[in-house]
Amino acid sequence: MHRLRTTMARLRPLTAAQSAQSISQPRLLAIEGGLRTFKPARRLNTSVAAEPFLNGTSSNYVEEMYYAWLENPRNVHKSWDIFFRNANAGAPPGAAYQSPPPLSGSSQGLTGVQALMGAQPNLEKLVQDHQAVHSLIRAYQVRGHHIAKLDPLEISCVDFDDTPCTVGFQNVAVFNPDLDLICMPTLSAHVNVFETGVYGLAESDLDKVFRLPTTTFIGGSESSLPLREIIRRLEMAYCQHIGVEFMFINDLEQCQWIREKFETPGIMQFSLEEKKTLLARMIRSTRFEEFLQRKWSSEKRFGLEGCESLIPALKTIIDMSSLSGVESVIMGMPHRGRLNVLANVIRKELDQIFCQFDSKLEAADEGSGDVKYHLGMYHKRMNRVSDREISMSLMANPSHLEAVDPVVQGKTKAEQFYSGDTEGKRVMSILLHGDAAFAGQGIVYETFHLSDLPSYTTHGTIHVVVNNQIGFTTDPRMARSSPYPTDVARVVNAPIFHVNADDPEAVIYVCKVASEWRNTFHKDVVVDLVCYRRNGHNEMDEPMFTQPLMYKQIKKQKGVLQKFAEKVIAEGVVTTQAYEEEVARYDKICEDAYNRSKDEKILHIKHWLDSPWPDFFNLDGQPKTMHSPPTGISEEELKHIGNIASSVPVETSRYTEV
């Protein structure tokens, strides 16, 4: 115990005057019963140079370390533990201290301070490498979508010039004379990083472990990962079939929310039931178009071929919205896929759709002569996922496709107002767009700018772009100046989720995230379904005349249903027999509806209205007799006004030439 109590005395450095003489009866700090007391102790005459880390200013620090060690040796670093044990055991002042092992081979034989000074360049390199890795992570977050595998045809690049595309690392765009489009080869990211030296990283750094910043979720429960694994996870999150544009958003919370949804390892998982439901919806979407093609091969129908995943996408949005409390969905869309949406999303009776193709059908109501791909529908039904009632309204639209956008927003605002839905939790809107119209028509930009205005907001719209990568016959490079057709949405800080439409699982996940975004932040969001148009602008158009190289590639393209069916059968989700039975079952539903449609002789407009209007029709669908209430003007006065308004003035004005 005496040695223990005198340890601090031997540690305390001596002043120049004290080193010339011995001082008797000094006071020593020690700990007894948890309290600090002063006790006399003998101080040894020793040189400060024997302990290179001690000086007059650090003695207080050493005392504090010593007290902490006395309480519990684990309270201090192992090097201090060794030092205090040696000193307490009676080691001479110069021997108690043991310098740490050298940090590199060049520091052999150096003192502790000299070794640390020699290690400074290594410390700087470590900091630089961490900064480089953090910059690399941010580069994937900002520009990873540029090399994502978004195009099912694998012929396009978002940069429409011949210059290299830089995505945190260099990636060269190549002109492909066979396809007459700009293509970007998908190279391994880390190879480009090391070849160009953008970040100062080397191949030897691949297996080094780096601490992850707080602005990424790729680590999951881990705070550090090897560089090789960091790059792999970033490529999985940002460079596969989903491209995420969100780093332009000003709100940090929203950016973090999106990062978590796409970066968390293993987050995009689906149960067996979800995969079976997705397959059934893909069957309905695809076989509906094939049925129409078989029965009316010479009719225009603006089919959905090439983007069949739109139907499960919309149904997922509606399912997720219904789960969050939405009771009414108002939709607007252009021609393409309208009949499929009516049949498989709104759930309009198939015989009512098929009878529209009968040229002998008579119109019973005034104004019912509009074409079938312009008219809308209203339907209220139970949602099987949420087990709640939901009403869906598909608005009628003119040929000026995007003109329906403000109409949908106005109807949504009206329903929210009259139902007292001040936060948009019960009524919402979904707008579908074509890629060329979305970029080319100014009404889209104008409608976006209403999204957050106090008197106009509908508290978030989900925009779904059916990106055919062509506008009628126009190549995207000749149709717009921006890389994406969706860039107009950036003005309101709306996140944009690009997704390869030939990957139905990726489409479904993106739609789930879009629905959660709208429900969480009540702001607009865009889902860009990158697809293709298999049959041209309509079924009477031959696209090989205007885009021969593109459509040569499309003819080789395997259908999305066939690819997805092969995948789930290989995974054991369903058997080949179960798949074929599901196809046959839906084909029979369509055939039965076709037979019933032959009995329809008269078209009633009530089947194609986008609002219920119950007071306007009888139970049998006939318009009710409308009685106009008397007005304050007599019939004679109205006739007089009409005659004057429709007659040519007796005297016309004459203009004098100057």
Side-chain angles (χ1 to χ4, degrees), residues 412-650:
T412 305
K413 186 68 176 179
E415 284 200 19
Q416 290 176 350
F417 177 81
Y418 286 109
S419 64
D421 184 16
T422 58
E423 298 179 354
K425 292 183 177 180
R426 299 198 303 274
V427 183
M428 67 170 289
S429 55
I430 301 174
L431 282 174
L432 279 72
H433 312 267
D435 54 325
F438 197 68
Q441 297 194 16
I443 196 169
V444 177
Y445 181 82
E446 296 166 9
T447 305
F448 263 113
H449 274 294
L450 298 175
S451 63
D452 282 334
L453 297 186
S455 299
Y456 295 87
T457 180
T458 56
H459 307 285
T461 299
I462 298 178
H463 301 263
V464 180
V465 178
V466 178
N467 187 351
N468 301 323
Q469 307 182 79
I470 191 171
F472 194 3
T473 61
T474 308
D475 189 297
R477 292 173 296 174
M478 310 304 169
R480 61 177 187 268
S481 299
S482 64
Y484 295 107
T486 54
D487 286 341
V488 65
R490 294 165 66 105
V491 299
V492 293
N493 279 332
I496 303 166
F497 304 137
H498 309 280
V499 59
N500 188 321
D502 265 18
D503 185 350
E505 290 175 311
V507 171
I508 295 310
Y509 183 74
V510 159
C511 290
K512 284 184 177 180
V513 174
S515 301
E516 290 181 34
W517 167 274
R518 196 265 172 191
N519 182 52
T520 303
F521 299 106
H522 293 282
K523 292 175 64 67
D524 283 28
V525 58
V526 178
V527 176
D528 178 23
L529 296 179
V530 184
C531 58
Y532 57 93
R533 194 185 61 193
R534 187 172 288 274
N535 293 326
H537 181 65
N538 60 59
E539 285 66 32
M540 307 305 294
D541 172 46
E542 177 48 71
M544 291 291 288
F545 291 144
T546 53
Q547 292 288 336
L549 299 176
M550 182 181 190
Y551 275 85
K552 189 183 296 183
Q553 180 70 16
I554 289 175
K555 287 184 182 300
K556 302 175 186 176
Q557 192 76 7
K558 187 184 293 186
V560 59
L561 174 61
Q562 183 181 350
K563 290 194 289 186
F564 184 63
E566 291 172 356
K567 178 178 183 293
V568 294
I569 290 172
E571 292 175 354
V573 176
V574 296
T575 63
T576 303
Q577 180 182 354
Y579 165 68
E580 292 174 349
E581 288 175 355
E582 183 68 20
V583 171
R585 190 172 72 87
Y586 185 70
D587 285 350
K588 186 177 186 304
I589 291 174
C590 292
E591 195 68 43
D592 292 344
Y594 172 72
N595 293 329
R596 290 195 305 271
S597 70
K598 296 177 181 179
D599 297 331
E600 291 287 343
K601 303 301 181 185
I602 298 175
L603 170 68
H604 296 294
I605 189 61
K606 77 154 193 146
H607 295 298
W608 295 86
L609 288 176
D610 50 35
S611 294
W613 301 105
D615 295 333
F616 283 77
F617 299 97
N618 296 320
L619 293 177
D620 60 356
Q622 297 300 321
K624 290 183 178 180
T625 303
M626 304 300 292
H627 298 284
S628 298
T631 64
I633 302 178
S634 64
E635 183 178 351
E636 289 74 17
E637 288 179 290
L638 288 174
K639 287 182 178 179
H640 175 71
I641 293 172
N643 289 331
I644 296 298
S646 59
S647 61
V648 178
V650 178

Side-chain angles (χ1 to χ4, degrees), residues 402-414:
E402 300 294 337
V404 77
D405 297 357
V407 179
V408 168
Q409 302 294 12
K411 181 176 172 64
T412 305
K413 186 68 176 179

Side-chain angles (χ1 to χ4, degrees), residues 20-73:
Q21 59 180 352
S22 296
I23 300 179
S24 62
Q25 300 298 324
R27 299 172 66 82
L28 170 68
L29 282 171
I31 296 180
E32 287 184 357
L35 299 176
R36 299 179 183 181
T37 60
F38 288 94
K39 290 198 174 182
R42 182 173 60 86
R43 177 168 295 176
L44 301 177
N45 185 0
T46 185
S47 171
V48 177
E51 304 291 356
F53 63 91
L54 293 177
N55 56 50
T57 60
S58 64
S59 59
N60 290 336
Y61 170 72
V62 176
E63 287 181 0
E64 293 294 330
M65 295 291 287
Y66 179 61
Y67 297 143
W69 178 78
L70 287 176
E71 292 175 356
N72 188 348

